[in-house]
């Protein structure tokens, strides 16, 4: 199962941006208020549409990885160089989301054949 690190415009499929470009644009247009900054990480985790561009959010990536871990055995990230780099670590936001699932051990299947972490 693939995890794209790019965004494609829904009306103009030939228009493509890297995940990093989309996140940088989103962040640059947010308020500098401290309250807004607190909510920024949460907003990025759920963000999967920006100015006509569709892409996988980090929440989507985690869901795909949970499902693929059970059904297929793995995922691939296309193209890792397009991920948004994490300033305080090696790698990017999407790869970190995928890795968090890859390294989890306790998974249970729910009634919809999707995966949820066991508490």
């Amino acid at each position: 199962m693939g995890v794209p690190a790019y965004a494609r415009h829904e009306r103009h499929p030939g228009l493509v941006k890297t995940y990093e470009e989309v996140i940088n644009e989103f962040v640059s247009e947010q308020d500098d208020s401290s309250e807004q900054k607190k909510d920024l990480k949460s907003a990025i985790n759920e963000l999967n549409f920006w100015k006509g561009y569709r892409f996988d959010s980090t929440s989507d990536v985690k869901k795909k990885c949970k499902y693929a871990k059970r059904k297929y055995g793995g995922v691939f990230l296309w193209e890792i160089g397009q991920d948004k780099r994490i300033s305080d670590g090696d790698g990017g936001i999407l790869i970190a989301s995928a890795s968090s699932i890859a390294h989890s051990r306790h998974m249970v299947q729910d009634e919809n054949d999707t995966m949820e972490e066991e508490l």
Side-chain angles (χ1 to χ4, degrees):
M1 180 176 291
V3 175
Y6 62 87
R8 187 171 300 279
H9 199 278
E10 70 178 353
R11 289 196 179 141
H12 307 286
L15 296 176
V16 179
K17 291 186 179 197
T18 68
Y19 182 71
E20 182 171 36
E21 289 173 321
V22 171
I23 297 302
N24 286 344
E25 285 179 20
F26 176 75
V27 169
S28 73
E29 293 185 18
Q30 303 307 303
D31 281 340
D32 285 338
S33 70
S34 59
E35 193 61 39
Q36 181 81 21
K37 286 182 180 182
K38 287 180 190 177
D39 296 332
L40 193 56
K41 184 176 180 179
S42 178
I44 289 172
N45 285 338
E46 299 302 321
L47 187 68
N48 63 5
F49 183 82
W50 178 251
K51 295 187 175 182
Y53 287 86
R54 291 209 175 272
F55 48 92
D56 286 350
S57 68
T58 58
S59 294
D60 295 334
V61 170
K62 287 179 181 180
K63 289 174 189 171
K64 277 186 170 182
C65 289
K66 287 176 184 179
Y67 184 77
K69 187 173 183 177
R70 182 178 166 281
K71 289 286 195 176
Y72 304 114
V75 298
F76 67 93
L77 188 69
W78 183 265
E79 137 94 47
I80 199 166
Q82 297 175 348
D83 197 356
K84 171 63 176 154
R85 304 264 322 146
I86 300 172
S87 61
D88 61 346
D90 297 327
I93 294 173
L94 296 176
I95 196 70
S97 297
S99 293
S100 71
I101 300 305
H103 295 104
S104 66
R105 292 178 162 207
H106 304 291
M107 307 293 284
V108 294
Q109 185 178 3
D110 73 13
E111 66 278 357
N112 295 320
D113 201 27
T114 60
M115 300 300 290
E116 297 296 330
E117 288 187 54
E118 187 177 69
L119 299 177

